[in-house]
Amino acid sequence: MGNREDLLSGAKRCLLEKGYTATTARDIAAASGTSLAAIGYHFRTTRALLNEALVESMAEWGDELQQALAADNAPTHPPEQRFEAAWARVIDSFARLRPLWAIQFELLAQMDRTPELRSAFAAANHQARLGLVEIFHRLDPTANEADALKLGAVHQALLGGLAAQWLIDPDSVPSAQDLIRALRTIVRELTA
């Protein structure tokens, strides 16, 4: 790996171990085995490096989830079974990726004071919604991007809400089956 890749790798480790606001340039330089000057050369600022490391970490989680769902979630399975399997995987991932979720909530409080972070999250948000549609519905999000963004926003709301609940009290998070029952109730009320 080159210095840039080493820095990203070190920043990802620091994010998971220390969080966003507690990670310093010195921490990243030590974790990556590079100099402090390398951060400025490759990323201009420590925050820019951390932002990129966070976006990459979330993209890696999305890729990992997509591969896992593709492996055990055949398109021949009924939609309810695919939904349950997908959300069970997501909920299971919270324990393994707790630091990644905690960082995102930590950063929400920083948005108003960090315009570049808001911009990075907004761009990632758009891509995340399209990716969630691809993951959960196996649809081409570019076929009808406006509808894909709306559908992705619903999955994103579920994802963020479940992650927040899991961070607060992992034992009280609804299961994938609980989600299905709740959604059935909502649909029944909407169509009555």
Side-chain angles (χ1 to χ4, degrees), residues 18-92:
K18 298 183 124 217
Y20 187 92
T21 55
T23 296
T24 67
R26 289 189 192 312
D27 295 330
I28 297 169
S32 64
T34 63
S35 68
L36 283 171
I39 294 172
Y41 177 78
H42 290 287
F43 295 94
R44 294 181 50 190
T45 68
T46 303
R47 294 297 164 222
L49 169 55
L50 286 170
N51 293 347
E52 189 167 331
L54 180 62
V55 169
E56 274 194 19
S57 294
M58 287 308 297
E60 289 167 4
W61 172 82
D63 292 344
E64 179 184 313
L65 181 63
Q66 191 168 18
Q67 289 172 357
L69 292 176
D72 66 359
N73 203 4
T76 55
H77 293 152
E80 182 178 318
Q81 186 177 346
R82 289 196 314 267
F83 181 93
E84 184 178 342
W87 281 101
R89 284 254 189 202
V90 168
I91 294 165
D92 288 345

Side-chain angles (χ1 to χ4, degrees), residues 3 24 27 46 48 52 62 76 79-80 101 121 134 139 144 149 161 166 181:
N3 274 355
T24 67
D27 295 330
T46 303
E52 189 167 331
T76 55
E80 182 178 318
W101 290 104
F121 262 63
E134 207 169 351
L139 297 175
N144 185 340
L149 287 169
W166 193 93
R181 284 192 287 278

Side-chain angles (χ1 to χ4, degrees), residues 92-173:
D92 288 345
S93 79
F94 292 153
R96 189 172 36 78
L97 298 171
R98 184 186 199 295
L100 190 58
W101 290 104
I103 289 165
Q104 290 184 70
F105 285 98
E106 172 189 349
L107 293 178
L108 288 175
Q110 305 291 324
M111 292 288 175
D112 288 339
R113 293 183 293 280
T114 318
E116 69 275 6
L117 188 59
R118 181 183 290 279
S119 295
F121 262 63
N125 211 20
H126 182 88
Q127 287 308 115
R129 288 177 179 179
L130 297 176
L132 288 168
V133 168
E134 207 169 351
I135 289 171
F136 288 106
H137 297 280
R138 295 190 176 160
L139 297 175
D140 175 6
T142 60
N144 185 340
E145 188 170 312
D147 284 348
L149 287 169
K150 291 172 193 161
L151 184 56
V154 171
H155 282 287
Q156 194 173 37
L158 277 173
L159 184 58
L162 287 171
Q165 290 177 53
W166 193 93
L167 287 169
I168 294 165
D169 183 9
D171 296 331
S172 71
V173 173

Side-chain angles (χ1 to χ4, degrees), residues 177-188:
Q177 287 180 338
D178 294 336
L179 290 177
I180 290 171
R181 284 192 287 278
L183 288 170
R184 277 195 187 120
T185 300
I186 292 168
V187 169
R188 215 175 14 255

